[in-house]
Amino acid sequence: MAMMVLVVMVKGGEAQLSQNFYKFRCPNVESIVRQAVTRKLRQTFVTVPATLRLFFHDCFVEVKGLVFKPRRSMTSALRPNFIEVLSLQIKQKGCDASVMIQSPSGNAEKDAGDNLSLAGDGFDTIVKAKQAVEASCPGVVSCADVMAIAARDVVALSGGPSFPVELGRRDGRVSQRWRVAGNLPGPDFSFNLLAWIFRKHNMSVADMVALSGGHTVGFSHCSRFSKRLYNFTAIHRVDPTMSPPYARQLMQECPRNVDPNIAVNMDQTTPNTFDNAYFKNLINGQGMFTSDQELFTNPMSRPIVANFASNEKSFFAAFGGAMIRLGRVGVKTGNQGEIRRDCTQFN
């Protein structure tokens, strides 16, 4: 009777990350990155939301696939009694700086539709920080780790919390446009869809709400939310969950047929400060995206929003913890991947 033996091998992120990973090989890596980020921030505040969003987009594209391979250890004498011995590999992508790769043919991760709106200042921040690190510790620190440090730094430098960054990631050797679709939260996502996509990465509803608070320093192009203003449903032209004064304000900034390059601040009260104003805005019906306002309208997340709106320290603590967990998604460690010298190109 024919039989099949299936050996399961999980690939990706088995080893633990460590805050002191570069203690001996590049002890000053965090201060080097902080200096580079500070210099970039002095040029433009866009550095903050652009770098933070870049880290999120890189980590959230985690693709799992099944690869079947015959085991070479099987002897020919055993083959008549077995169909085949297969190795099931779960290949992960995640926080591996794959979003940084530039492709002459436009087929890299950054060329995907969901990534075309990523601001160039985020990419430039990582490139310059990596160059500074390479000058001191060549070939030691991954672009993925530089990105994780920089994401923490832009938050802290704009008034938000500082938190420990776990290090030891390796850079990915794959960056493909088709891997992005369906892996990033959209501005019109329902609460259930948002929760599901976060749960795929072992992140809770509280993590989801906390990370959404990053929109307190973000901006958006009008096209990302214009449906809520002009064509929400057949019954409601304007989304009824949106505060009428807020809707009128957005209509002034984003009239019909507006230039697609026009962008507006997601938090219009303190747009250049990382604070808890985003959550106060949600309570007042001033969430820019459907996916933002859903966090307050849904009973599962409303208490979390209310807590963060009234207690900034609670938000900061939750955000820091969620960023640490986000930074663990699909990481490559040990001998996996590579340490790129140029973040935009594979070695």
Side-chain angles (χ1 to χ4, degrees):
M1 180 178 179
M3 297 175 61
M4 176 182 291
V5 177
L6 184 65
V7 178
V8 179
M9 301 174 62
V10 178
K11 296 291 184 181
E14 294 97 332
Q16 294 294 313
L17 302 177
S18 168
Q19 294 178 31
N20 297 318
F21 187 81
Y22 298 108
K23 181 178 180 180
F24 300 106
R25 293 183 298 159
C26 193
N28 297 322
V29 59
E30 293 196 46
S31 62
I32 295 171
V33 172
R34 172 69 71 100
Q35 291 172 9
V37 171
T38 301
R39 286 193 295 270
K40 180 65 181 178
L41 181 55
R42 289 181 183 138
Q43 298 172 9
T44 172
F45 184 81
V46 175
T47 299
V48 175
T51 304
L52 185 58
R53 189 165 177 241
L54 187 65
F55 178 65
F56 185 91
H57 278 229
D58 183 60
C59 290
F60 243 59
V61 177
E62 180 187 24
V63 180
K64 299 181 181 181
L66 308 183
V67 178
F68 297 91
K69 295 180 179 179
R71 287 188 72 186
R72 294 180 180 177
S73 60
M74 178 181 286
T75 64
S76 58
L78 291 176
R79 289 187 186 278
N81 298 319
F82 289 80
I83 293 176
E84 195 69 76
V85 175
L86 304 179
S87 171
L88 171 59
Q89 295 181 334
I90 302 179
K91 293 192 171 182
Q92 297 182 321
K93 280 180 46 57
C95 305
D96 64 355
S98 54
V99 74
M100 294 293 300
I101 294 297
Q102 294 181 354
S103 166
S105 57
N107 289 320
E109 199 170 302
K110 69 179 295 186
D111 300 307
D114 288 340
N115 284 334
L116 292 179
S117 62
L118 291 171
D121 287 295
F123 293 98
D124 191 46
T125 299
I126 305 306
V127 167
K128 289 181 176 177
K130 172 64 171 175
Q131 289 172 345
V133 172
E134 283 294 301
S136 180
C137 313
V140 172
V141 182
S142 68
C143 297
D145 278 347
V146 169
M147 189 181 296
I149 297 169
R152 185 271 312 276
D153 289 347
V154 294
V155 170
L157 290 169
S158 58
S162 185
F163 45 87
V165 178
E166 297 174 335
L167 302 170
R169 300 167 189 80
R170 304 268 291 183
D171 298 322
R173 291 196 179 105
V174 176
S175 181
Q176 296 169 318
R177 183 175 62 184
W178 63 267
R179 294 176 179 266
V180 177
N183 282 289
L184 294 170
D188 57 350
F189 275 19
S190 67
F191 174 86
N192 288 338
L193 187 52
L194 283 172
W196 174 78
I197 202 169
F198 272 81
R199 190 164 55 246
K200 285 199 308 177
H201 302 302
N202 298 317
M203 305 193 78
S204 67
V205 169
D207 290 330
M208 177 180 75
V209 177
L211 289 176
S212 296
H215 285 172
T216 192
V217 289
F219 57 89
S220 171
H221 292 93
C222 298
S223 59
R224 301 281 285 176
F225 59 86
S226 60
K227 182 179 178 181
R228 297 186 71 201
L229 300 175
Y230 301 111
N231 190 31
F232 188 63
T233 66
I235 299 176
H236 299 286
R237 180 175 64 90
V238 180
D239 186 342
T241 65
M242 184 179 285
S243 161
Y246 181 59
R248 289 193 292 270
Q249 178 182 348
L250 291 181
M251 288 177 182
Q252 291 179 352
E253 298 182 73
C254 297
R256 290 181 184 273
N257 302 317
V258 67
D259 184 335
N261 294 318
I262 296 296
V264 297
N265 292 318
M266 299 194 71
D267 169 20
Q268 303 204 355
T269 54
T270 54
N272 292 343
T273 303
F274 195 101
D275 54 21
N276 66 338
Y278 166 83
F279 300 103
K280 297 176 182 179
N281 293 340
L282 295 186
I283 294 174
N284 294 326
Q286 297 177 357
M288 182 169 284
F289 296 158
T290 297
S291 56
D292 290 316
Q293 200 59 49
E294 283 270 305
L295 300 181
F296 183 67
T297 58
N298 190 282
M300 286 188 64
S301 52
R302 185 185 298 123
I304 304 173
V305 171
N307 175 44
F308 291 166
S310 63
N311 188 336
E312 189 173 72
K313 289 184 179 179
S314 179
F315 163 51
F316 281 4
F319 184 86
M323 284 288 284
I324 292 172
R325 286 184 283 279
L326 174 63
R328 297 170 181 162
V329 173
V331 295
K332 295 162 183 64
T333 55
N335 294 322
Q336 300 168 338
E338 64 183 12
I339 303 296
R340 282 184 231 142
R341 292 184 179 272
D342 178 350
C343 291
T344 67
Q345 303 292 332
F346 299 122
N347 288 345

